[in-house]
Amino acid sequence: MKISDIGEQGLLQRLQQFCPSEIIGDDCALIPTHPDKLLVVTTDLLIDNVHFSDRTTSPQDVGFRAASANLSDLAAMGAKPLGITVGLGLPKDLDVNWVEEVYQGLIQCLNTYNTPIVGGDVVKSNVVTLAITAFGEVSPNFAIKRSTAKVGDAILITGYHGLSKAGLEILLNPTIGESLNKEDQQTLIKAHQRPKPRLDVIDILHLINTNNAIISGMDSSDGLADAIIQICRMSGVGAIIEKDLIPVNAIFKKWLKPEKALDWILYGGEDFELVLTLPLDLAETLVKQIGTAAAIIGQITSENHVILRNSENKTQKKLNLNDGFQHF
Amino acid sequence: MKISDIGEQGLLQRLQQFCPSEIIGDDCALIPTHPDKLLVVTTDLLIDNVHFSDRTTSPQDVGFRAASANLSDLAAMGAKPLGITVGLGLPKDLDVNWVEEVYQGLIQCLNTYNTPIVGGDVVKSNVVTLAITAFGEVSPNFAIKRSTAKVGDAILITGYHGLSKAGLEILLNPTIGESLNKEDQQTLIKAHQRPKPRLDVIDILHLINTNNAIISGMDSSDGLADAIIQICRMSGVGAIIEKDLIPVNAIFKKWLKPEKALDWILYGGEDFELVLTLPLDLAETLVKQIGTAAAIIGQITSENHVILRNSENKTQKKLNLNDGFQHF
């Protein structure tokens, strides 16, 4: 039996039997190290022509995006970063500049969050390979898990969605962005090439969550719809999302048909925003503190599905990950 | 300029400018997380046909050796393991059994040391790639660094050297082992395929180093000579090694010419024993506690070179890594 016969999910299910069940299933693993600290660990493998390509991503952007994705996983757990390690598999005829520029990109992202590269490994490989492991720490009562959403919690997102997808589409097919001015094009392209991990949100939460309210959540790296559905599945709850409450970037409004905009917002992915469920009053305070494009978009319910409600035309549909966006 | 123009060392030098200088240069990075704990992190990338091969290594052995190498790096820092992450890059036509057997090998090694696999990533790659990150913790006054060897310290090794190299040679060229009985052949092959990280030595040290003596050291994964030379370089000291004090396995004695045996012992590599420098009285206690093949083989000196002394014929030579073993 080949991997292609069972797919990534089939393989992951088989491999999970080798891991402690209480540790897996979140953006990062949580490992108790001290009575009031958990070690938080996440790892990503990035492969040339699978996860990045010279066509859309400069070596500096490869580094920046890799660091950002891993720091976003730490943010998704409520953790503060401690450092990352970098493993590189490199063909021997690769240009040294390429490698140094990847590191420059890593550092440009990491320096913003005072996170050092603490080690690594460099080996020969025929395929350019980047293996990043990021680790951080969090207090046990502050860890953000996917499995603790409660009925009545507000569902909050920390920023615009769909911009990274739009930037990628413009990079792959520049003609689709021709009706936009240069500045708007660059905003979207930058959203794809230089996504920001929302560690700033975690800093704010540490200040305002003085009652130690339980916050559930994850990042939206695989799309906004995916994040909401994963949280509901892991928590055994449902959700109702108000379509009109989802922030739509001004560029999308003037450029895209509403159906297309909603498709990219829900299913685009790689925005690295946070999707959090938390008590309404705390959510309202957090939205004010974050500012731009943070919004409460719905509520956790006791149903076993995620509903997207359109208050305008009174329709609603179930969100699921198999069929992508369907028109109202 | 290509990587092949400057080599691995040249590339590493360029990349080290991106890392905090106080953190690099040991088997693992040490990251302060708590007043009395350091987080210890190490990462390895293993590539098909570079680091392992179907010719000498079953998938279970690939897993076992990968876990062992990373746990050995933790042992080399005096750390206790907390967990590992496993990143896999896999061709889609790879047999699922191969992947499961790698995990079985990982678990066979890890279970001995109560170390869980806490997470990972599975992605598509044309080259089978294994990225392991291991992390552990150690008290600051118990961390074993390469840079703290002191003049007068005893130099201790925790077991036989050269066996892994001998096993590899037999696997590559079975005829050279024909004069050995099956049991001896298997002992050597197993030393190559199933090396043990010496975390047991760290447990003993925690019990007997009640005066918090400073212990320097590293593992002998790149060879015994390499370990001694690296420790001396990083500590700004020299060493004198007594050839007659280096334990020679009974199989070597009956099978190899003394020059060949010494070559493999000094330069073979991948034995994953520990090379430690510490006060003589503590070293003597540790040798007794470890038992089999642990030995004090020399002393740290104030010279700037590593001398191998042959008391039998009163000759001595400088050890260095460039010319490998030379006859007395």
Side-chain angles (χ1 to χ4, degrees):
Chain A
M1 186 170 51
K2 295 176 174 181
I3 292 173
S4 52
D5 297 330
I6 58 171
E8 187 194 348
Q9 287 308 315
L11 182 62
L12 282 176
Q13 270 172 24
R14 279 164 185 263
L15 298 183
Q16 281 178 3
Q17 64 177 301
F18 298 101
C19 307
S21 59
E22 72 278 12
I23 270 177
I24 52 177
D26 255 302
D27 294 82
C28 301
L30 294 173
I31 300 124
T33 51
H34 188 259
D36 58 9
K37 285 286 178 208
L38 297 169
L39 178 65
V40 186
V41 183
T42 180
T43 195
D44 267 339
L45 218 56
L46 303 172
I47 311 288
D48 190 16
N49 280 322
V50 179
H51 301 98
F52 53 89
S53 140
D54 286 344
R55 199 166 151 209
T56 55
T57 324
S58 73
Q60 289 206 7
D61 292 338
V62 169
F64 194 99
R65 281 171 56 84
S68 200
N70 280 275
L71 294 187
S72 179
D73 281 334
L74 295 181
M77 304 299 294
K80 298 200 171 194
L82 291 166
I84 74 164
T85 60
V86 182
L88 291 172
L90 305 170
K92 62 185 177 181
D93 61 352
L94 187 72
D95 198 308
V96 173
N97 282 343
W98 192 93
V99 186
E100 290 189 305
E101 285 179 31
V102 168
Y103 263 73
Q104 283 159 10
L106 285 166
I107 290 292
Q108 281 161 20
C109 177
L110 294 171
N111 279 356
T112 310
Y113 309 99
N114 296 313
T115 305
I117 298 174
V118 297
D121 194 17
V122 176
V123 301
K124 193 173 70 171
S125 175
N126 290 333
V127 178
V128 178
T129 302
L130 203 60
I132 309 266
T133 302
F135 38 94
E137 56 182 7
V138 65
S139 308
N141 59 13
F142 211 88
I144 298 174
K145 299 178 190 173
R146 297 182 185 179
S147 57
T148 57
K150 290 185 307 298
V151 175
D153 273 356
I155 300 170
L156 180 154
I157 59 175
T158 55
Y160 290 120
H161 281 79
L163 306 199
S164 175
K165 169 73 170 173
L168 176 63
E169 292 291 329
I170 290 174
L171 285 164
L172 291 172
N173 183 9
T175 55
I176 67 160
E178 273 171 357
S179 66
L180 292 173
N181 64 40
K182 283 278 167 230
E183 196 187 330
D184 287 346
Q185 287 181 34
Q186 278 311 307
T187 298
L188 299 177
I189 289 170
K190 213 175 157 193
H192 178 71
Q193 293 175 332
R194 299 270 159 156
K196 290 198 180 84
R198 298 310 302 267
L199 288 160
D200 59 317
V201 173
I202 301 308
D203 287 339
I204 297 171
L205 270 177
H206 272 94
L207 291 173
I208 66 173
N209 187 14
T210 44
N211 293 331
N212 287 328
I214 292 172
I215 301 168
S216 181
M218 59 182 284
D219 76 1
S220 59
S221 54
D222 291 332
L224 174 56
D226 171 82
I228 298 166
I229 291 167
Q230 299 290 353
I231 292 165
C232 288
R233 268 192 203 150
M234 297 284 289
S235 300
V237 295
I240 188 150
I241 306 295
E242 302 288 348
K243 178 182 152 296
D244 296 347
L245 295 181
I246 302 175
V248 181
N249 187 279
I251 303 173
F252 276 24
K253 284 181 185 162
K254 66 184 174 190
W255 178 44
L256 299 176
K257 288 188 180 147
E259 292 80 6
K260 183 77 167 176
L262 189 58
D263 187 17
W264 286 1
I265 286 169
L266 290 175
Y267 300 102
E270 301 202 325
D271 290 301
F272 299 123
E273 297 294 340
L274 299 180
V275 179
L276 303 172
T277 86
L278 64 180
L280 181 61
D281 55 343
L282 185 61
E284 285 171 340
T285 309
L286 184 58
V287 163
K288 272 183 215 142
Q289 294 270 340
I290 298 175
T292 319
I296 295 166
I297 62 167
Q299 198 176 27
I300 295 295
T301 67
S302 58
E303 309 294 316
N304 64 355
H305 42 245
V306 177
I307 298 289
L308 184 66
R309 183 159 62 185
N310 187 339
S311 60
E312 216 175 293
N313 62 11
K314 314 284 181 204
T315 58
Q316 60 180 41
K317 67 177 286 290
K318 281 190 198 175
L319 279 190
N320 72 59
L321 297 177
N322 297 326
D323 53 16
F325 176 70
Q326 290 177 344
H327 300 284
F328 275 82
Chain B
M1 186 169 52
K2 295 177 174 180
I3 293 172
S4 52
D5 297 331
I6 59 172
E8 187 195 347
Q9 286 308 313
L11 182 62
L12 282 175
Q13 271 172 23
R14 279 164 185 262
L15 298 183
Q16 280 179 2
Q17 64 176 300
F18 297 102
C19 308
S21 58
E22 73 278 11
I23 271 178
I24 51 177
D26 255 303
D27 295 83
C28 300
L30 293 174
I31 300 123
T33 50
H34 188 259
D36 58 9
K37 285 285 180 210
L38 297 169
L39 178 65
V40 186
V41 183
T42 180
T43 194
D44 267 339
L45 219 55
L46 302 172
I47 311 287
D48 190 16
N49 279 322
V50 178
H51 300 98
F52 53 90
S53 141
D54 286 343
R55 200 167 150 209
T56 56
T57 324
S58 73
Q60 289 206 7
D61 292 337
V62 169
F64 194 99
R65 283 170 55 85
S68 200
N70 279 274
L71 294 187
S72 179
D73 282 334
L74 295 180
M77 304 300 292
K80 297 199 172 195
L82 291 166
I84 74 164
T85 60
V86 182
L88 291 172
L90 304 170
K92 62 184 176 183
D93 61 353
L94 187 72
D95 198 308
V96 173
N97 283 342
W98 193 93
V99 186
E100 290 188 305
E101 285 180 29
V102 168
Y103 263 73
Q104 283 159 8
L106 284 166
I107 290 292
Q108 281 161 20
C109 177
L110 293 171
N111 279 357
T112 311
Y113 308 99
N114 297 313
T115 305
I117 298 174
V118 295
D121 193 18
V122 176
V123 300
K124 192 173 70 171
S125 175
N126 290 332
V127 179
V128 178
T129 302
L130 204 60
I132 309 266
T133 302
F135 35 94
E137 56 183 6
V138 64
S139 310
N141 58 14
F142 210 88
I144 299 174
K145 299 179 188 174
R146 298 183 185 178
S147 57
T148 57
K150 291 184 308 300
V151 175
D153 273 356
I155 300 170
L156 180 153
I157 60 176
T158 55
Y160 290 120
H161 281 80
L163 305 200
S164 175
K165 169 73 171 174
L168 176 63
E169 293 291 330
I170 290 173
L171 285 165
L172 291 172
N173 183 8
T175 55
I176 68 162
E178 274 172 357
S179 66
L180 292 172
N181 63 41
K182 283 278 168 233
E183 196 188 331
D184 287 346
Q185 288 181 31
Q186 279 310 309
T187 298
L188 299 176
I189 288 171
K190 211 176 159 193
H192 177 72
Q193 292 175 333
R194 300 270 159 157
K196 290 198 180 85
R198 298 309 304 264
L199 288 160
D200 59 317
V201 173
I202 301 308
D203 287 339
I204 297 172
L205 270 176
H206 272 94
L207 292 173
I208 66 173
N209 185 14
T210 44
N211 294 331
N212 287 330
I214 293 171
I215 301 168
S216 180
M218 59 182 283
D219 75 2
S220 59
S221 54
D222 291 332
L224 175 56
D226 172 83
I228 299 167
I229 291 168
Q230 299 289 354
I231 292 165
C232 288
R233 267 192 202 148
M234 296 285 287
S235 300
V237 296
I240 188 150
I241 306 295
E242 303 288 350
K243 177 182 152 297
D244 295 347
L245 296 180
I246 302 174
V248 180
N249 188 281
I251 303 172
F252 276 24
K253 285 182 186 162
K254 64 184 174 190
W255 178 45
L256 300 175
K257 288 188 181 151
E259 293 79 8
K260 184 76 170 177
L262 189 58
D263 186 17
W264 285 1
I265 286 169
L266 290 174
Y267 300 103
E270 302 202 323
D271 290 301
F272 299 122
E273 296 293 339
L274 299 180
V275 180
L276 303 172
T277 88
L278 64 178
L280 182 61
D281 54 345
L282 186 61
E284 285 170 340
T285 308
L286 184 57
V287 163
K288 272 184 218 143
Q289 295 269 338
I290 299 175
T292 317
I296 296 166
I297 61 167
Q299 197 176 29
I300 295 295
T301 67
S302 58
E303 309 295 317
N304 64 355
H305 41 245
V306 177
I307 297 290
L308 183 67
R309 185 159 62 186
N310 186 339
S311 61
E312 215 175 294
N313 62 10
K314 312 287 181 202
T315 58
Q316 60 181 39
K317 66 176 288 287
K318 280 189 197 175
L319 280 190
N320 72 61
L321 297 178
N322 298 327
D323 53 16
F325 176 70
Q326 289 175 345
H327 299 285
F328 275 82

